[in-house]
């Protein structure tokens, strides 16, 4: 017999795709990115109905910095109402070495590989795609792999 918690977990896993909207609430991105100097970005997350569901925290480390962008290693923690999802990636940040400008920012995206989870996300696998629409808004698409095999 599956209890209410197990049924909710199974329903969440069956959906396998979660789309969230983020609004930046904190960051310490320096005016000039420097190799080896980390920065963080934090977003409050909402579901498709606009209800608050948790936070997104990314810790980033530039490993190459150039005039046309930078290569960054990043870890991500989604702290959701029903558990944590952790992820990691290396990505090309297509912005100049100087902090992104709030005006005329180019949309860009990157993908994180899910590395683990807690509570409803124990054993989580899959990917998280983050689309940066503006400097302060993003859309996350969480694709959970079927781990029932």
């Amino acid at each position: 017999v599956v209890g209410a918690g197990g049924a909710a977990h199974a329903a969440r896993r069956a959906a396998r795709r979660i789309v969230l909207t983020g609004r930046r609430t904190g960051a310490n991105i320096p005016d000039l990115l420097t190799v080896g100097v980390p920065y963080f970005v934090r977003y409050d997350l909402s579901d498709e109905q606009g209800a608050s569901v948790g936070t997104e925290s990314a810790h980033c480390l530039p490993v190459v910095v150039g005039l046309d962008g930078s290569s960054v290693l990043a870890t991500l923690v989604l702290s959701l109402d029903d558990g944590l999802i952790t992820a990691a990636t290396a990505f090309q940040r297509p912005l100049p070495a100087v902090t992104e400008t709030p005006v005329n920012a180019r949309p860009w995206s990157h993908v994180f590989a899910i590395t683990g989870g807690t509570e409803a996300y124990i054993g989580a696998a899959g990917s998280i795609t983050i689309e940066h629409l503006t400097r302060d808004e993003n859309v996350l698409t969480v694709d959970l792999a079927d781990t029932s095999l």
Side-chain angles (χ1 to χ4, degrees), residues 17-140:
R17 176 167 274 191
I18 304 164
V19 177
L20 305 171
T21 301
R23 176 167 288 284
R24 185 187 291 187
T25 57
N28 74 338
I29 303 172
D31 288 338
L32 184 64
L33 295 181
T34 304
V35 171
V37 177
Y39 64 91
F40 79 90
V41 183
R42 183 178 185 276
Y43 291 81
D44 285 343
L45 298 173
S46 304
D47 64 15
E48 292 177 285
Q49 290 74 41
S52 177
V53 295
T55 61
E56 164 197 351
S57 298
H59 294 269
C60 306
L61 180 67
V63 293
V64 175
V65 175
L67 295 176
D68 60 346
S70 58
S71 295
V72 177
L73 298 176
T75 57
L76 180 71
V77 176
L78 299 184
S79 179
L80 304 174
D81 293 342
D82 55 352
L84 294 176
I85 298 175
T86 57
T89 195
F91 65 94
Q92 182 67 26
R93 189 174 192 262
L95 303 168
V98 180
T99 301
E100 72 267 58
T101 59
V103 180
N104 298 325
R106 286 187 303 178
W108 60 287
S109 66
H110 53 101
V111 178
F112 285 77
I114 294 175
T115 57
T118 66
E119 298 178 43
Y121 305 101
I122 289 176
S127 65
I128 300 170
T129 302
I130 300 179
E131 297 174 73
H132 295 275
L133 305 176
T134 69
R135 187 182 90 145
D136 295 324
E137 295 180 317
N138 67 15
V139 174
L140 287 78

